[in-house]
Amino acid sequence: MTHSVTRIHRHGASLDTLSVVVPVHNESAVLGEFHRQLVIALEQVPLLAEIIYVDDGSEDESPRLLRQIRLGDTRVAVLELSRNFGKEAAMTAGLDHASGDAVVIIDADLQDPPQLIPQMVEAWRDGFDIVTARRSSRAGESLFKKLSSKLFYRVLAATSDVPIAIDVGDFRLMSRRVVDALKQLPERNRCMKGLFAWVGFTQKELSYERAARHAGTSKWGFWELLHLAFDGLTAFTWAPLRIATLLGLLVAVGALVMGGFIAVRTVLFGDPVPGYPSLICVVLFLGGMQLLATGIQGEYLGRLFIESKQRPNYLLKNLQPASDLSYSPHVSKGR
Ligand code: UDP
Ligand code: MG
């Protein structure tokens, strides 16, 4: 499953290869423009390039467009997943099949600028294993998305045991050894932001203005984002479990102290007012807390259940390899 898509021998053993992994789900509106910009950016990179488009079960024209793009550019490989497995799985598939000495992951919707790739390669050449891109601004995204994304990154960074970078998306360059390290991580719950942080290595951060989507719509609605947040939290921290424990302890101690206080007061002053309303409040509060704590345990248990099945992260329907990485659009189009 993890062999590379490139059949050919490397031309000129001294030239390194760069793999560009692009997860694609219903992006027919932007694919042509994306590839055009990517090709221009890659012309400034002194490496052989391999471009791996991972079609994550698109229902639109994307698969057909990708085949067409591949016919016009021999560096392009296309992986087709058997259905929509989600962006994390699509990226995993791309990484599994990338053969480059360095690998760039980039969104197809032009929200991650391909123009940044030459700079990333330069930093990699300077010895950095991971080159990330911090979003200094986010155009065209709703206030809610900006706020919730901010909150998610902050909470995850604050509670997780590994240093998760804030406001850094999946757009990044990784050296071969980082990719190999990632491939060793067997978990099904592939919250990439956490896994990227977990593997470590030396990092450099570039900064860019996040543009609005070139065309098409974002696949992430409220529920998808909530799911992603839960996945991220439960994969990299057990702080919620600990908080449940601590809260339970706090309430129990509080109840003991209050009980003692009431007992003493009753002995000294009698019991003039029966406190039914407040009693009901306490009962409801405790019931709610117990449900919450059980729910949190369930979130972890459910994920344990998924992990225990050991199913593959994705299934391939079709693999179209790149035919020749030495292709140069400059030469062939006579520009
Ligand atoms: N994507 C994917 N599978 C999915 C959803 C998205 O491969 O199930 C791809 C999508 O085609 C794009 C990238 O992941 O290249 C980011 O998706 P999107 O733009 O919807 O996310 P956002 O930028 O809103 O976070
Ligand atoms: Mg996007």
Side-chain angles (χ1 to χ4, degrees):
M1 196 156 78
T2 60
H3 49 84
S4 88
V5 279
T6 311
R7 277 197 200 125
I8 56 139
H9 243 313
R10 294 212 181 134
H11 293 246
S14 61
L15 254 193
D16 288 336
T17 349
L18 174 73
S19 299
V20 181
V21 168
V22 194
V24 175
H25 180 65
N26 295 346
E27 300 285 7
S28 56
V30 281
L31 273 178
E33 177 62 18
F34 171 79
H35 190 73
R36 200 182 64 79
Q37 294 197 18
L38 180 64
V39 166
I40 294 174
L42 287 179
E43 277 171 26
Q44 276 134 59
V45 176
L47 304 170
L48 288 177
E50 160 193 63
I51 306 165
I52 304 179
Y53 285 102
V54 184
D55 171 41
D56 184 17
S58 297
E59 293 116 34
D60 65 351
E61 288 289 283
S62 300
R64 197 182 56 77
L65 282 176
L66 288 178
R67 281 162 192 253
Q68 224 170 49
I69 289 174
R70 178 172 171 270
L71 289 181
D73 188 334
T74 58
R75 302 168 296 177
V76 171
V78 179
L79 301 178
E80 288 180 5
L81 304 191
S82 63
R83 64 170 169 84
N84 179 236
F85 279 91
K87 184 184 178 191
E88 316 280 321
M91 289 191 286
T92 305
L95 291 181
D96 282 348
H97 291 82
S99 63
D101 302 292
V103 181
V104 166
I105 298 184
I106 184 168
D107 284 2
D109 59 3
L110 288 171
Q111 281 196 295
D112 305 333
Q115 293 75 15
L116 212 61
I117 294 179
Q119 255 173 285
M120 289 180 148
V121 169
E122 219 165 278
W124 168 61
R125 283 272 166 100
D126 288 344
F128 290 96
D129 279 290
I130 302 181
V131 188
T132 57
R134 176 188 288 272
R135 307 183 264 235
S136 57
S137 74
R138 303 172 137 228
E141 292 186 2
S142 67
L143 186 67
F144 172 74
K145 174 135 188 200
K146 281 185 211 172
L147 282 182
S148 55
S149 149
K150 226 187 189 92
L151 184 72
F152 168 64
Y153 279 112
R154 294 294 186 294
V155 170
L156 192 58
T159 56
S160 113
D161 305 329
V162 288
I164 290 177
I166 292 176
D167 275 340
V168 171
D170 296 321
F171 180 33
R172 61 187 56 226
L173 177 145
M174 288 172 288
S175 68
R176 174 47 45 192
R177 48 185 185 160
V178 172
V179 174
D180 286 342
L182 276 178
K183 281 160 70 172
Q184 281 176 30
L185 305 182
E187 53 245 77
R188 315 292 112 179
N189 178 357
R190 302 196 75 79
C191 171
M192 286 298 209
K193 290 171 200 8
L195 298 185
F196 289 146
W198 188 88
V199 295
F201 294 100
T202 46
Q203 299 211 8
K204 178 172 175 148
E205 205 175 80
L206 305 175
S207 151
Y208 73 107
E209 314 258 305
R210 184 142 168 105
R213 253 182 172 273
H214 187 72
T217 51
S218 170
K219 276 97 214 160
W220 305 95
F222 174 74
W223 290 111
E224 286 82 10
L225 284 173
L226 195 70
H227 187 83
L228 193 72
F230 270 47
D231 268 355
L233 281 176
T234 51
F236 285 93
T237 166
W238 56 82
L241 288 174
R242 192 165 290 161
I243 290 170
T245 313
L246 288 180
L247 219 58
L249 206 68
L250 208 71
V251 171
V253 170
L256 262 178
V257 171
M258 195 175 153
F261 170 75
I262 288 172
V264 170
R265 195 183 60 176
T266 310
V267 168
L268 292 184
F269 306 108
D271 186 11
V273 188
Y276 285 117
S278 52
L279 194 66
I280 291 297
C281 276
V282 171
V283 168
L284 284 181
F285 175 69
L286 277 182
M289 290 251 300
Q290 278 165 7
L291 277 181
L292 180 71
T294 317
I296 291 174
Q297 286 173 19
E299 290 290 332
Y300 284 88
L301 191 66
R303 281 166 181 83
L304 208 59
F305 169 67
I306 298 290
E307 292 290 337
S308 70
K309 287 178 193 277
Q310 292 285 305
R311 288 190 182 151
N313 286 310
Y314 59 87
L315 290 177
L316 282 187
K317 179 165 74 178
N318 191 348
L319 188 160
Q320 304 154 46
S323 41
D324 183 1
L325 302 195
S326 62
Y327 170 84
S328 155
H330 255 334
V331 179
S332 72
K333 283 185 191 143
R335 268 193 280 147

